[in-house]
Amino acid sequence: MWSKSALFLMVRIKVQKRRGYTFPVPVWVVNEFLTALTDLVWIGEMALKRIPLPKDERSRQQMSWVKTVSPSGIITGTQMVIKDLCKYKGLDIVDVKTADVQVKISLK
């Protein structure tokens, strides 16, 4: 059933009483975007590690999470999950329906 890998993320958005739109996004574009975003976030992490924590307790808590959790690692993990999911062509990743808006993301 799932013999070929997916080439596109199909993003469908429909607002009630309006025409729905479908945006095909190539998987390689998502992969390249996440690679570039990982590099930019890594540079930001390195810059923030050089900045001392502020004395204000609230600001200190907001800055300290970046030093303890690696946002670039989270993005890299997301990128690996998308690569793994691309093996399953026809898979619906997101299918959300509310009163006014419908959003569906699937692999084609």
Side-chain angles (χ1 to χ4, degrees), residues 2-57:
W2 293 323
S3 59
K4 296 183 179 180
S5 63
L7 300 175
F8 291 98
L9 283 172
M10 301 298 288
V11 180
R12 294 184 188 127
I13 300 173
K14 177 153 179 21
V15 179
Q16 190 176 26
K17 298 182 183 179
R18 299 205 181 196
R19 184 175 177 203
Y21 297 100
T22 301
F23 304 100
V25 181
V27 173
W28 66 268
V29 170
V30 174
N31 186 27
E32 292 296 322
F33 171 75
L34 289 175
T35 301
L37 185 62
T38 301
D39 292 343
L40 287 173
V41 170
W42 182 80
I43 291 170
E45 287 174 6
M46 292 300 112
L48 285 175
K49 285 183 181 179
R50 306 284 189 259
I51 298 172
L53 289 174
K55 295 185 189 261
D56 179 30
E57 185 61 31

